[in-house]
Structure formats: C-alpha cells, structure tokens
Amino acid sequence: MELPLRILNYHETRHNTNHTEEEPPAPVTPEENTPLLHRFPNNGSERNPVTTVIVSLLLVILIAGVIIGIYLLILQNDSENILPPVERPLQLVSRSQWDTSDGDQSALRSFPYRLRAVTVVQTGTERCNSTESCTKLLLEMQNNVTAVNATLPYNFLISSNGQTYEALGWLKCIPQATKNTTPTGLLLAFIGNFTETPPTQSQLQEAKNFFDTSVSEQYLHPSYRIFGKNKNDTPTHLIDSLKAFPQWSNEFSDKN
C-alpha cells in the first residue's frame, strides 16, 4: 500500500508544480516603481523665470531686426526709384535751322576767351511762340537790318515759348556793336516788347539755361555779370524780372 501512496503524492506534487508555473506574475505595486521616479524627478512642467525672460528678449530682438531690415529695404528701393531733378536743357535752334542763306561773316570779329558780361535787350517786336512763327519773324527782322553784313546784331534770341535762337553765336560779334559800350560781351535779346508786359516764365528759365550752358562750355567766365541797356525804350519789366538773377548788375552797358 505504500507504493500507491507514493505514486499519488508524486502526481499531486507534479500537478501543483505545473499549476504554479502557469500562474501569471503578480502585478507590480506602485510602491515598487516609486523609488525610481523619485531618483529622477520630472520638472518639465515648471518654467524658470530667468529662461522665460531671456527667450522673450531674444524674440523681441529678432522681430525688431526683421522690421528694421524691411524698413531699410523699402528706403533703399525708394531712393533708387527717385530720380534727381533734371533741369530742362538749352532749347537751342541753330542758325542753319532757321536761316539757310549762309551769309558772309567775314566782317565779324571773334570774341576773346571766356567773356565776363552779357548785355540783355528786347527786340521791340511782336512775340513768337513756335519754331515756325519765330523763324518767320527772325527772317523778317534780318531783311530789315541795314548794318554790317545785313545780319541780326544779336548773339542769341529767346522766344516766348522758351527756345534759344542762334544769330552770331558765342564766338562772333559785330565791331560797331562794341564801340562806346562798357563792358563788351554777349548780346542776348528777348523776342518781344517788355516796356509794359513782363517776359514769360519760359523765357526766364531759358535765359538761366543759356547762362549755365555758356559757363559750362567756357564761353562765359563763372564771375560774369548781366547788364541792361538804358535807352529810350527801356524794357522796364524785363529788367525787373532779371534783377532776381544773382549776376545782375545795376549798371547799364551803354552808360555815358
């Protein structure tokens, strides 16, 4: 009877052993994980005030830099798009454009280098406002000239619409025109009669262009002076307008 009992006990022991191996592991209690968590505390949810201030300051600097860069770029583009003011160049009509006769100028005298004076007069005629009407008027004036070479005694003439017409040019003058006159220089005529009405703004602007061009081309000395003529038909309004020029002189070129 002992043998069967041993066999029974053996089977029960095997059954218990197998049952124990098949049982799932016991769950881990929170107390067992807690020590590891306490060794490495999680402070991610807490913000350092100093770090926040530094990050905010860097962000403000970055935004300010971007704004300044955009502003400077806009200023640069605007400065590139803005063109400097351009003065209207001299509206010169050469002698050959309005007078095709090509008259003999052998009696004319050459001017000295870099004149220091410009005498301003009026033609005493009607005004003209276009190349066509001015050409017609100038040819009529030239046909009525009885002086040397039957040519206009002016170096240049300025029309009401702001054109400069070449007559003798920068380098020539009529000998008689320089006798008993002080000082000697270019003779610039304003086309029209200005004893009662002033010259147009286009004429005055073209006169400025003429003076500037004459200086830059070295026909006039930079310290030149502008003179009027004191005769019976003094162009009072023309002289009053020219007094605004810094080169204007209160003396007259034909003073006695």
Side-chain angles (χ1 to χ4, degrees), residues 210-224:
F210 172 77
F211 296 141
D212 293 343
T213 300
S214 298
V215 171
S216 64
E217 297 295 331
Q218 299 188 357
Y219 297 117
L220 274 181
H221 194 277
S223 60
Y224 73 94

Side-chain angles (χ1 to χ4, degrees), residues 11-86:
H11 282 289
E12 289 179 354
T13 302
R14 293 278 299 177
H15 177 73
N16 292 335
T17 301
N18 293 334
H19 183 70
T20 302
E21 292 176 355
E22 293 176 359
E23 290 181 355
V28 179
T29 59
E31 290 76 7
E32 294 178 353
N33 288 332
T34 302
L36 294 176
L37 296 176
H38 284 297
R39 290 182 183 179
F40 303 98
N42 185 10
N43 295 329
S45 60
E46 298 180 4
R47 295 184 178 179
N48 191 329
V50 177
T51 303
T52 302
V53 172
I54 294 176
V55 172
S56 300
L57 182 60
L58 292 177
L59 184 60
V60 170
I61 294 175
L62 177 62
I63 295 175
V66 172
I67 294 175
I68 293 174
I70 294 175
Y71 176 72
L72 293 177
L73 183 62
I74 293 174
L75 288 181
Q76 181 180 359
N77 291 336
D78 290 342
S79 63
E80 292 176 354
N81 292 333
I82 296 176
L83 297 176
V86 178

Side-chain angles (χ1 to χ4, degrees), residues 118-126 128 134 137-138 141 152-160 162-169 185-194 199 203-204 206-207 210-211 226-227 229 231 235 238 242:
V118 178
T119 299
V120 177
V121 297
Q122 66 176 2
T123 60
T125 63
E126 61 182 13
C128 59
C134 288
L137 177 62
L138 294 179
M141 292 171 58
L152 293 177
Y154 313 112
N155 294 98
F156 294 92
L157 304 94
I158 299 180
S159 62
S160 298
Q163 288 182 305
T164 298
Y165 288 83
E166 179 187 20
L168 301 177
L186 293 175
L187 188 60
L188 178 65
F190 281 66
I191 300 176
N193 190 315
F194 306 99
Q203 281 180 304
L204 295 175
E206 183 69 357
F210 172 77
F211 296 141
I226 304 173
F227 297 85
K229 269 199 170 184
K231 57 183 182 179
L238 175 61
L242 293 176

